[in-house]
Amino acid sequence: MHEDIEKTLVSEVEIAEKVAELGFNISRDYEGKDVVLVNVLKGGVIFLADLVRAIDIPITIDFMAITSYGAASQTSGVVRVLKDLDEDIEGRHVLVVEDIIDTGLTLGYLLKNLRVRGPASLSVCTLLDKSARRLLEDLPIKYKGFDVPDQFVVGYGLDYRQKYRNLPYIGVLKPEIYQKATS
Ligand code: 5GP
C-alpha cells in the first residue's frame, strides 16, 4: 500500500496536532450549545472519529451517505442521498464534518438540503481544502485543517477506488496507479 504513494502531503503527526487544535476551537465555540456533528460517509469517518475525541463538550453525531453521479474522481454536484440523518436538526447547531472540499458542489448541495430543515446554525469543518478547484464560493467553512494543491490525494479516510482509506497519513498516488487502472 505505502509503495503506491508518491509523496506524503500531511503526516500522521501533523494530522494529530491539527485535530487537537480543531477540537479545542470547536469546544470553545460551541460551549453550552446543542450541537450535532454531521458526517458524510465514508471519506470523513476517520477524521470524525479522531475529532470527536478532541472535543470536550457534549455533542451528538449523525451520518449521511451520498453518492455523486459521474466518474469517481470528478463531481457534478448532483448527488443522491443514500442514507439520511437519523435525528431532527431543527433548532440545533449543525457542524458538517468533511474530509475534503474540492469544487464545493457536493457540499453546496448538502448544505441546501440541510438548511431547509431549520437548524439554529449551519457551519462546516473540513480537514482538507483544495481551493484551486473551487466553483462554489460563500461556503460557511468555519474550521479548516490544511490547504492541499490540485492533486488527487488519498489516505486518512480518502480513497481511490475504495482503497487507501486506512493509510494513517495523506499522500499523493503514483501516476502509474491511475494509468494501470485506465489502461
Ligand atoms: P466536490 O464536490 O467538492 O468537488 O467533491 C467533494 C468530494 O469529492 C469529496 O468529498 C471526495 O469524496 C471527492 N474528492 C475530491 N477531491 C478528492 C481527492 O483529492 N481525493 C479523494 N480521494 N477524493 C476527492
Side-chain angles (χ1 to χ4, degrees):
M1 184 170 64
H2 300 281
E3 64 279 7
D4 295 349
I5 305 300
E6 186 169 79
K7 66 167 189 260
T8 303
L9 276 186
V10 191
S11 73
E12 207 174 336
V13 171
E14 287 171 315
I15 294 172
E17 285 172 0
K18 187 60 77 177
V19 167
E21 182 190 317
L22 292 170
F24 178 85
N25 291 342
I26 291 168
S27 306
R28 181 198 55 208
D29 298 346
Y30 287 91
E31 173 94 70
K33 292 182 174 157
D34 180 14
V35 55
V36 53
L37 269 58
V38 168
N39 188 234
V40 186
L41 298 170
K42 303 172 191 163
V45 79
I46 311 266
F47 176 41
L48 178 87
D50 284 342
L51 183 66
V52 291
R53 283 174 291 176
I55 296 175
D56 64 359
I57 57 165
I59 52 140
T60 66
I61 58 177
D62 207 343
F63 296 93
M64 267 181 103
I66 59 177
T67 186
S68 308
Y69 291 103
S73 57
Q74 271 188 358
T75 344
S76 57
V78 182
V79 302
R80 192 157 57 94
V81 176
L82 300 177
K83 185 218 166 288
D84 205 349
L85 298 176
D86 292 331
E87 293 176 46
D88 195 354
I89 58 168
E90 190 177 351
R92 306 187 66 194
H93 294 273
V94 175
L95 184 62
V96 176
V97 177
E98 272 276 18
D99 49 358
I100 187 166
I101 305 172
D102 186 11
T103 64
L105 294 174
T106 309
L107 181 63
Y109 178 91
L110 189 72
L111 291 171
K112 216 157 66 179
N113 181 298
L114 295 176
R115 201 168 284 126
V116 294
R117 306 184 197 192
S121 71
L122 184 58
S123 302
V124 179
C125 173
T126 187
L127 180 67
L128 304 177
D129 186 2
K130 206 192 270 185
S131 57
R133 284 172 42 91
R134 190 65 34 81
L135 294 176
L136 210 61
E137 299 302 327
D138 298 330
L139 293 170
I141 303 171
K142 193 168 176 184
Y143 308 95
K144 178 166 84 170
F146 304 94
D147 288 298
V148 287
D150 185 8
Q151 285 176 307
F152 192 76
V153 301
V154 294
Y156 199 69
L158 289 150
D159 74 307
Y160 174 63
R161 300 197 163 189
Q162 297 302 325
K163 288 204 283 192
Y164 308 103
R165 292 194 198 275
N166 55 324
L167 277 180
Y169 54 88
I170 290 157
V172 181
L173 271 187
K174 287 181 180 165
E176 60 255 39
I177 306 295
Y178 301 99
Q179 284 152 11
K180 229 189 292 176
T182 51
S183 61

